[in-house]
Amino acid sequence: MLNQIKNNLLYGVFCILLFILIGLKMNAQDGTVAYNFLNLPSSAHIYGLGGVNISTVEDNINLADQNPALIGPEMDMQMGINYMKYVGETNFAGLKFAKKITDISAMAVGLQYFGYGDMKYTDVEGNILGVFAPKDIAFNVAYSHDIAERWRGGINLKYIYSSYDEYSAMALATDLGVNYYNPENDLSFSFVVANLGGQIKRFNDSYDRLPVDVRLGFTKGLSDLPIRLSVTAWNLTKWSLPYYDPGDGTTIDAPELKDSFGSNLFRHLIFGVDFIPSERFHFAIGYNYKSRTDMSTYSRSLLSGFSASVGINVKSFGVEAALSQPHTGATTFMLNLTANINDFLK
């Protein structure tokens, strides 16, 4: 009886939060999409798999940042630290912690900082008046619960604060996720609705919308090989994702608009491959066609759209690193550290 009451209460809270956050979005005025930093992963493993992955199941708190249904009691007292050197002077860093609640439920908290370096501000005539350092901060609380033997659901609540010189804004968002996992067949399938919510304090009179997204993810291990394949579909709230191809730089023709069925299809898909020869080592590689075409200049790197990561687990520690070069002038690097505090308390 107690468990039934608890489950009904959790379901009620889940529904209330969902309707509140959907209401924030539905009642908002039209505006531009902002807060795209919410789509950046904090996991080096996910970054190596193409930047978006919601279905890879591992005992790693950093992997659960894009799907709260991947958090579980197996992550009890696990801590994760992440750092990313992004484009230009942009640097990201964060901290996560997970705690077991019961044998079928867990929670996690996290803090993520997005710093964009120093920028100059000027008057209307171009005179430099000073320097400011814009930043975004996201604090989140996540909860997961086993729905059935192989099904787990999760919710992630996010408070977002932005400060750009004398202007500031605040927003609330939530991620809703569900995961099916069959360990016998090494098969995982996930569904996520990401970034539902809206601004509660604006920069000015204009309203900035959150990058709401619907995502599907599929991951399958190969029984005879230490390889795991992943396919993630994202940006499913709209089909058409056109882009302009500038060509190879040898002509002065105008960039060509690409909006074919095949182009749109592959801009919705991200492919990843894990090579896992042992429990202590893994190597991942991913391909994100949208990232490649978003950086569509004739001077882009041949590696644009590709990313890779490597991870090593030694006793109570885990270290992962990822690398990507979306453009010849933009090499990005991410580092993760994980540790289980329980191992230090024994």
Side-chain angles (χ1 to χ4, degrees):
M1 177 65 70
L2 182 60
N3 286 335
Q4 183 178 358
I5 293 174
K6 181 182 71 173
N7 290 338
N8 289 338
L9 178 62
L10 290 171
Y11 179 76
V13 172
F14 185 92
C15 290
I16 291 171
L17 290 170
L18 176 60
F19 281 117
I20 289 175
L21 290 167
I22 290 178
L24 283 172
K25 178 177 183 294
M26 294 296 291
N27 293 327
Q29 299 176 6
D30 290 338
T32 58
V33 176
Y35 299 96
N36 285 303
F37 59 87
L38 294 174
N39 290 326
L40 291 170
S42 61
S43 164
H45 195 165
I46 288 178
Y47 196 52
L49 288 171
V52 180
N53 187 293
I54 61 173
S55 54
T56 295
V57 177
E58 286 187 356
D59 182 11
N60 186 330
I61 181 61
N62 286 315
L63 271 172
D65 71 331
Q66 295 187 349
N67 184 359
L70 298 182
I71 300 169
E74 65 276 4
M75 299 177 184
D76 185 39
M77 299 296 285
Q78 190 176 128
M79 181 177 66
I81 300 173
N82 67 82
Y83 168 77
M84 184 179 192
K85 179 67 175 70
Y86 202 54
V87 179
E89 297 182 7
T90 304
N91 292 273
F92 307 147
L95 178 68
K96 297 182 178 66
F97 176 76
K99 182 71 177 71
K100 172 183 174 181
I101 299 177
T102 69
D103 289 339
I104 59 172
S105 63
M107 69 171 295
V109 295
L111 181 66
Q112 199 73 18
Y113 172 84
F114 304 84
Y116 308 105
D118 292 335
M119 298 184 181
K120 299 176 182 178
Y121 67 88
T122 66
D123 59 20
V124 294
E125 297 177 350
N127 299 310
I128 298 175
L129 302 179
V131 177
F132 69 102
K135 60 182 176 291
D136 295 298
I137 299 172
F139 173 76
N140 74 285
V141 178
Y143 174 81
S144 70
H145 192 87
D146 290 356
I147 303 169
E149 181 181 0
R150 294 175 177 171
W151 290 88
R152 179 179 290 172
I155 179 171
N156 183 28
L157 301 177
K158 295 179 282 192
Y159 166 78
I160 305 152
Y161 172 78
S162 300
S163 176
Y164 302 161
D165 192 26
E166 62 185 31
Y167 302 97
S168 64
M170 292 180 286
L172 293 177
T174 186
D175 303 327
L176 306 175
V178 63
N179 172 256
Y180 168 85
Y181 179 55
N182 185 333
E184 289 81 14
N185 296 328
D186 197 7
L187 171 66
S188 173
F189 176 80
S190 291
F191 172 77
V192 169
V193 180
N195 303 320
L196 277 172
Q199 281 185 308
I200 55 176
K201 180 181 182 296
R202 307 179 185 185
F203 284 112
N204 46 40
D205 293 336
S206 65
Y207 179 84
D208 295 322
R209 295 182 290 116
L210 270 66
V212 178
D213 194 13
V214 175
R215 300 168 181 174
L216 295 172
F218 173 81
T219 298
K220 179 70 173 69
L222 304 183
S223 57
D224 298 329
L225 296 171
I227 293 176
R228 191 167 54 199
L229 306 177
S230 293
V231 180
T232 305
W234 68 317
N235 286 307
L236 298 182
T237 56
K238 58 181 179 180
W239 166 253
S240 181
L241 298 173
Y243 75 98
Y244 284 92
D245 187 346
D248 59 6
T250 60
T251 67
I252 59 173
D253 294 338
E256 180 183 358
L257 177 65
K258 300 288 187 178
D259 195 19
S260 66
F261 175 85
S263 171
N264 281 308
L265 174 63
F266 281 100
R267 279 170 63 82
H268 283 285
L269 300 177
I270 298 173
F271 303 92
V273 179
D274 269 311
F275 174 62
I276 314 169
S278 73
E279 294 182 355
R280 295 189 177 278
F281 176 82
H282 76 262
F283 175 78
I285 187 170
Y287 181 68
N288 186 328
Y289 182 67
K290 186 175 186 299
S291 291
R292 179 173 177 81
T293 52
D294 283 348
M295 292 291 182
S296 186
T297 66
Y298 68 86
S299 61
R300 69 185 172 194
S301 168
L302 292 175
L303 298 177
S304 180
F306 288 95
S307 56
S309 67
V310 61
I312 300 174
N313 296 315
V314 180
K315 294 183 179 181
S316 302
F317 291 96
V319 180
E320 293 178 297
L323 188 70
S324 179
Q325 191 182 51
H327 190 274
T328 53
T331 299
T332 59
F333 173 78
M334 181 180 289
L335 179 67
N336 282 176
L337 300 176
T338 56
N340 195 309
I341 299 176
N342 279 329
D343 294 337
F344 299 95
L345 300 177
K346 295 179 180 178

